[in-house]
Amino acid sequence: QVQLVESGGGLVQAGGSLRLSCAASGRTLSRYAMGWFRQAPGKEREFVALINWTGDTTNYAESVKGRCTISRDNAKNTLFLQMNSLKPEDTAVYYCAASPPAQVLTTHWYDYDYRGRGTQVTVSS
């Protein structure tokens, strides 16, 4: 059974940085596209970033473009999200997810087969 476990969240001041990690276990996800999503209180879950299995294709939500970088280490079965210049509106629970090899790159949460339980990011003003 595949498990995705996020870490690296926390409380940070506006303008600060955080690096989220997502460790996969149970099977290698090196051929899976991976994504980050987030859900703020009272709002719907939204796409943040995705990366294909080789790491040479990425896509970002407009709200984080230029401030966040998604990357992966297939040898370690780990996904990362470097977040810089954080804003209070970035406050949310951040989730990682894995999309199967047969699935085209997608920003839709329900197209991802495996999903983590999330890590809280809180940005104070």
Side-chain angles (χ1 to χ4, degrees), residues 39-117:
Q39 187 166 21
K43 295 188 177 181
E44 292 191 354
R45 187 176 287 113
E46 65 176 359
F47 165 75
V48 176
L50 66 81
I51 187 168
N52 72 337
W53 73 273
T54 60
D56 60 3
T57 298
T58 58
N59 190 15
Y60 297 91
E62 285 298 323
S63 58
V64 304
K65 197 173 289 185
R67 299 188 297 119
C68 291
T69 302
I70 188 171
S71 62
R72 65 192 297 164
D73 185 336
N74 286 340
K76 296 183 178 179
N77 231 15
T78 304
L79 176 72
F80 303 99
L81 184 68
Q82 177 67 43
M83 303 190 295
N84 301 322
S85 302
L86 283 162
K87 305 175 182 180
E89 50 264 45
D90 293 318
T91 295
V93 177
Y94 283 71
Y95 302 88
C96 68
S99 173
Q103 173 68 53
V104 297
L105 293 180
T106 174
T107 62
H108 300 293
W109 173 252
Y110 292 105
D111 288 335
Y112 287 74
D113 280 0
Y114 304 116
R115 310 178 191 112
R117 292 190 172 187

